[in-house]
Amino acid sequence: MSQTIINSSNLLADLRHVISSIPHDRLFLLSDSNVEAMVFPLLDDFFNEYNPVRIILPPGEEYKNLESLSKVWECLAAEGGSRKSLLINLGGGVVTDLGGFAAACFKRGIRFVNIPTTLLSAVDAAVGGKTGIDFNGLKNEIGAFAPAEAVILSTAPFATLPDFQMASGFAEIVKMAMISSPEVYAHILRLSEDNGLDLRASGFPLGDLVNFSVMKKAEIVEQDPNEKGLRKILNFGHTCGHAFESFLLKKGTPIPHGEAVAYGILVALILSNLRLKADSRLIHQYKSHILAPLFPPISIKCDDIDTLIDIMKHDKKNADGKITFVLLSAIGDPVIDSDTPEEDIRAALDIFIDMQ
Amino acid sequence: MSQTIINSSNLLADLRHVISSIPHDRLFLLSDSNVEAMVFPLLDDFFNEYNPVRIILPPGEEYKNLESLSKVWECLAAEGGSRKSLLINLGGGVVTDLGGFAAACFKRGIRFVNIPTTLLSAVDAAVGGKTGIDFNGLKNEIGAFAPAEAVILSTAPFATLPDFQMASGFAEIVKMAMISSPEVYAHILRLSEDNGLDLRASGFPLGDLVNFSVMKKAEIVEQDPNEKGLRKILNFGHTCGHAFESFLLKKGTPIPHGEAVAYGILVALILSNLRLKADSRLIHQYKSHILAPLFPPISIKCDDIDTLIDIMKHDKKNADGKITFVLLSAIGDPVIDSDTPEEDIRAALDIFIDMQ
């Protein structure tokens, strides 16, 4: 799997270049109505010039479903889409995940380009070829591994994002630094000491950090496209993170994906200390320098632990009732703990709750 | 893409062997109610021993749709399917195509085994990794390239098939011989002279011919899994064949896939003569030795030509309004004619209709 990744300083010019480099008969663009309102105006010239067939979904994770997928396929078919058509996914993770899956299956696969409009989708969803939809109450239950032909990364659309979405995306960058680079993680900690992680400050090197994170992800995915081994380290923080996310969604108090992962990382650090004797200072450093400045407290109680364990057992990454964590023996040194004992997970969650 | 293909003389023993060689947590079996009635009794011991979760679809191409697919996914999810679950597709092309696609996307891919119960699915659908469903009135409009972990070929279930389904499957064997082996095609012509292609006759080498066809297909698919080049030769007879099939289905007088392809081959032979100066005797030999003993006349009239051309232009294998044929300069020597002029296709269809 190899993907063209473009760090764009001129979205319109790079989009023109990408489109002209991919031969196609019909051009389609998938987006949602929020992005239509906020980001389309930045690309007026593109719309005038190329006039793509526009497919607009309602915004939100609840529309990342089979019905929306079917709607996209119907539109591709009705508007003369062929195997040589090209789909541009312009939006957050819902749009790039669903659009990528729609493209992967339409006529057994057409080419697509991702233009992430949120920080989270830039560093998490748009690169790496995981596509899919939610199904039966489970996230990404149905999907395919299918890489975008090209991913165009531009920080321009991020100006339209609320703060909590910026923080949510930044959590994935922190994760990448923790599993792969002591230097970059130390740099992020210094940034926190300096300005409390003000991601929009003019001197904040957001573009560089996005670039680091995406390139590192591409490198890992290139080596293990179908998540047979190495790629699993990208799930650091996600075992518990996904459980928090599902649990709070069901409770009616949803939190963003990145925020859930940020708290999942804290649990993973506690478990790393319990099982691998990782330095306990990592836990407190992370809590005070990353979590505190970026995220509000999370509402998880001791009574919730049984439910959380149950959700983890049903995660698609786990099977046979075993729960797999990615832990750190040190920053930059991830370890896949493929059968983490339930009692250790419970102990870590107890400590986690006490720390809130 | 590499697939284990087993020419089985003992279906139960081979099925046991395959299941034990693929580690899995839960075992699922997809089939349709016809196969349930006719073929399940042959596998009583298997059902008693393994007790797979059974998912039974109504029989027929009209159920190869998004609704059935969603039903399969729901059942996999509801019955505890994980990434390590195994799905057995026991049935004709609808079951293996839809089941393969369901498996390819469930949790981004679980393993599956195909056991074709019709001659057509044995030689056409079960091997080679093309999976999918019909959508919006178009065959296989949505799908994926995903090979079965193993394919178990047994002629035992064919005893339950009506004659027209046997003939339909045999057409794909004839096609394979024509594109790849003058020797095997000559052998089939001799069999026709000897016994008029009585496929059920005790001396008829059906198992050998199935084996030849499947192994040849596997060899071609191995070299070109995603149909970028070589694999296209498998579409010999299919450009017009698909158009006949779609047209007659819409008219309310459907014919089996293999029969449509058999007539599509005749058109391709006429075009081969027109465009490549292929020997015209091939046309008459094929008509008298293959079509006549196996298939009833086809109901296509001059007035239908416009509609047929239109259907071909919308086939997913074609784009930009161009129509691609696979032709033969001689038996065993296929040529991809990627932009066949419409007037030549019309001329060939005229000749075809005159020959009826």
Side-chain angles (χ1 to χ4, degrees):
Chain A
M1 169 154 55
S2 114
Q3 291 189 302
T4 302
I5 299 171
I6 297 166
N7 285 289
S8 178
S9 55
N10 183 334
L11 183 51
L12 187 63
D14 287 318
L15 182 52
R16 270 200 195 103
H17 173 71
V18 163
I19 291 177
S20 67
S21 71
I22 304 174
H24 60 274
D25 54 3
R26 298 276 280 160
L27 186 65
F28 293 85
L29 182 134
L30 178 70
S31 197
D32 70 34
S33 52
N34 275 350
V35 174
E36 183 180 33
M38 308 292 279
V39 181
F40 280 25
L42 305 177
L43 291 169
D44 261 349
D45 289 351
F46 160 74
F47 284 106
N48 290 335
E49 209 172 316
Y50 289 91
N51 195 24
V53 177
R54 303 173 196 196
I55 312 173
I56 309 294
L57 301 176
E61 181 84 21
E62 65 268 39
Y63 294 100
K64 190 177 166 182
N65 59 21
L66 194 59
E67 202 185 324
S68 300
L69 183 68
S70 176
K71 184 182 152 184
V72 174
W73 284 334
E74 269 165 31
C75 185
L76 290 170
E79 297 287 341
S82 83
R83 277 195 180 171
K84 293 184 176 162
S85 296
L86 176 63
L87 175 67
I88 296 171
N89 298 314
L90 177 70
V94 171
V95 166
T96 57
D97 279 8
L98 187 147
F101 185 45
C105 299
F106 184 70
K107 294 178 191 278
R108 295 205 189 93
I110 64 171
R111 290 188 280 191
F112 64 100
V113 170
N114 284 343
I115 308 175
T117 57
T118 66
L119 180 55
L120 181 63
S121 65
V123 295
D124 191 32
V127 171
K130 280 193 183 180
T131 69
I133 56 168
D134 303 337
F135 185 80
N136 225 18
L138 290 170
K139 278 175 64 89
N140 301 318
E141 178 78 345
I142 303 296
F145 288 97
E149 200 69 15
V151 180
I152 306 178
L153 298 170
S154 163
T155 54
F158 303 166
T160 66
L161 295 178
D163 284 349
F164 74 89
Q165 281 201 19
M166 289 293 282
S168 173
F170 196 70
E172 290 282 344
I173 297 177
V174 172
K175 177 203 80 177
M176 187 60 82
M178 295 179 87
I179 59 174
S180 71
S181 171
E183 297 73 26
V184 174
Y185 187 58
H187 181 52
I188 293 172
L189 293 175
R190 277 197 305 278
L191 289 166
S192 177
E193 282 168 10
D194 290 352
N195 82 348
L197 290 180
D198 177 0
L199 308 179
R200 296 188 202 274
S202 63
F204 195 86
L206 186 62
D208 292 346
L209 288 169
V210 168
N211 195 14
F212 153 77
S213 187
V214 170
M215 290 304 164
K216 194 58 98 173
K217 179 169 179 186
E219 193 184 305
I220 292 167
V221 168
E222 174 85 34
Q223 291 176 58
D224 177 23
N226 296 323
E227 197 166 319
K228 303 290 181 197
L230 175 69
R231 184 172 181 165
K232 292 180 203 265
I233 65 172
L234 296 177
N235 296 322
F236 178 60
H238 281 63
T239 307
C240 228
H242 274 160
F244 289 154
E245 194 177 1
S246 297
F247 174 73
L248 293 170
L249 179 68
K250 273 183 202 160
K251 244 184 75 178
T253 53
I255 61 171
H257 173 73
E259 185 174 330
V261 169
Y263 281 102
I265 288 175
L266 185 59
V267 178
L269 289 174
I270 297 166
L271 262 176
S272 299
N273 175 253
L274 289 177
R275 289 184 58 75
L276 305 179
K277 312 288 171 223
D279 192 333
S280 65
R281 281 173 299 184
L282 291 179
I283 302 169
H284 304 287
Q285 195 180 42
Y286 175 79
K287 183 165 191 294
S288 57
H289 285 78
I290 307 289
L291 282 181
L294 288 176
F295 300 104
I298 190 173
S299 161
I300 297 287
K301 306 270 175 292
C302 287
D303 289 349
D304 306 330
I305 291 180
D306 283 346
T307 313
L308 289 168
I309 296 276
D310 199 53
I311 295 173
M312 286 182 230
K313 282 184 183 165
H314 286 86
D315 191 293
K316 70 175 166 302
K317 296 194 178 73
N318 300 312
D320 305 323
K322 293 178 181 174
I323 301 176
T324 300
F325 268 82
V326 179
L327 304 179
L328 294 184
S329 58
I331 295 297
D333 197 358
V335 176
I336 295 164
D337 190 28
S338 57
D339 188 7
T340 316
E342 196 176 311
E343 59 268 31
D344 287 359
I345 303 171
R346 287 178 181 276
L349 283 167
D350 272 331
I351 296 169
F352 171 84
I353 291 163
D354 284 348
M355 287 178 71
Q356 300 301 305
Chain B
M1 168 154 56
S2 114
Q3 290 189 302
T4 302
I5 298 170
I6 297 166
N7 285 289
S8 178
S9 55
N10 184 333
L11 183 51
L12 187 63
D14 288 318
L15 182 52
R16 271 200 195 103
H17 174 73
V18 163
I19 291 176
S20 67
S21 71
I22 304 173
H24 60 276
D25 54 3
R26 299 275 280 161
L27 186 65
F28 293 84
L29 182 133
L30 177 70
S31 197
D32 69 36
S33 52
N34 275 350
V35 174
E36 184 180 33
M38 308 291 280
V39 181
F40 280 26
L42 304 178
L43 291 169
D44 262 350
D45 289 351
F46 160 75
F47 285 106
N48 292 332
E49 208 171 316
Y50 289 91
N51 196 22
V53 178
R54 303 173 196 196
I55 313 173
I56 309 294
L57 301 176
E61 180 86 21
E62 64 268 39
Y63 294 99
K64 190 177 166 184
N65 59 20
L66 194 59
E67 202 184 324
S68 299
L69 183 69
S70 176
K71 183 182 151 183
V72 174
W73 284 334
E74 269 164 31
C75 185
L76 290 170
E79 298 287 341
S82 82
R83 277 193 181 175
K84 292 183 177 163
S85 297
L86 177 63
L87 175 66
I88 296 171
N89 298 316
L90 177 70
V94 171
V95 167
T96 57
D97 279 9
L98 187 147
F101 185 46
C105 299
F106 184 69
K107 295 180 191 276
R108 295 205 189 92
I110 65 171
R111 289 188 280 191
F112 65 100
V113 170
N114 284 344
I115 307 176
T117 57
T118 66
L119 180 56
L120 180 63
S121 64
V123 295
D124 190 33
V127 170
K130 281 193 182 179
T131 69
I133 56 168
D134 303 336
F135 185 80
N136 224 19
L138 290 169
K139 279 177 64 91
N140 302 316
E141 177 79 344
I142 303 296
F145 288 97
E149 200 70 14
V151 180
I152 306 179
L153 297 172
S154 162
T155 55
F158 304 166
T160 65
L161 294 177
D163 285 347
F164 74 89
Q165 281 200 20
M166 289 294 282
S168 173
F170 196 71
E172 290 282 344
I173 296 178
V174 172
K175 176 203 79 178
M176 187 61 83
M178 294 178 87
I179 59 174
S180 71
S181 171
E183 296 72 26
V184 174
Y185 186 58
H187 182 51
I188 293 173
L189 292 175
R190 275 196 305 277
L191 288 166
S192 178
E193 282 168 10
D194 290 350
N195 83 348
L197 292 180
D198 177 0
L199 308 179
R200 296 189 203 273
S202 64
F204 195 86
L206 187 62
D208 293 345
L209 289 169
V210 169
N211 195 14
F212 152 77
S213 187
V214 170
M215 290 305 163
K216 195 57 97 173
K217 180 170 179 185
E219 194 184 306
I220 292 167
V221 168
E222 175 85 35
Q223 292 175 58
D224 177 24
N226 296 323
E227 199 168 316
K228 303 291 183 200
L230 176 68
R231 183 173 182 166
K232 290 180 203 266
I233 64 171
L234 296 177
N235 296 323
F236 178 60
H238 281 63
T239 307
C240 228
H242 273 159
F244 289 154
E245 195 178 358
S246 298
F247 174 73
L248 293 170
L249 180 66
K250 273 184 202 158
K251 244 184 76 178
T253 54
I255 60 171
H257 173 72
E259 185 175 329
V261 169
Y263 281 101
I265 288 175
L266 185 58
V267 178
L269 288 175
I270 297 167
L271 262 175
S272 299
N273 175 253
L274 289 178
R275 290 184 56 74
L276 305 178
K277 311 287 171 224
D279 192 333
S280 65
R281 282 173 297 184
L282 291 178
I283 301 169
H284 304 287
Q285 195 179 43
Y286 174 79
K287 183 164 190 294
S288 57
H289 285 78
I290 307 291
L291 281 181
L294 288 176
F295 300 104
I298 189 173
S299 160
I300 296 288
K301 305 269 173 296
C302 287
D303 288 349
D304 306 330
I305 291 180
D306 283 346
T307 314
L308 290 167
I309 296 276
D310 199 54
I311 295 173
M312 287 183 229
K313 282 183 183 166
H314 286 87
D315 190 293
K316 68 175 168 305
K317 296 194 179 73
N318 300 313
D320 305 325
K322 292 178 181 172
I323 301 176
T324 299
F325 268 82
V326 178
L327 304 179
L328 293 184
S329 57
I331 295 297
D333 197 357
V335 175
I336 295 164
D337 189 29
S338 56
D339 188 8
T340 315
E342 196 176 310
E343 60 269 31
D344 287 358
I345 303 171
R346 287 180 182 275
L349 282 168
D350 273 330
I351 297 169
F352 172 82
I353 291 164
D354 284 347
M355 286 178 71
Q356 299 301 306

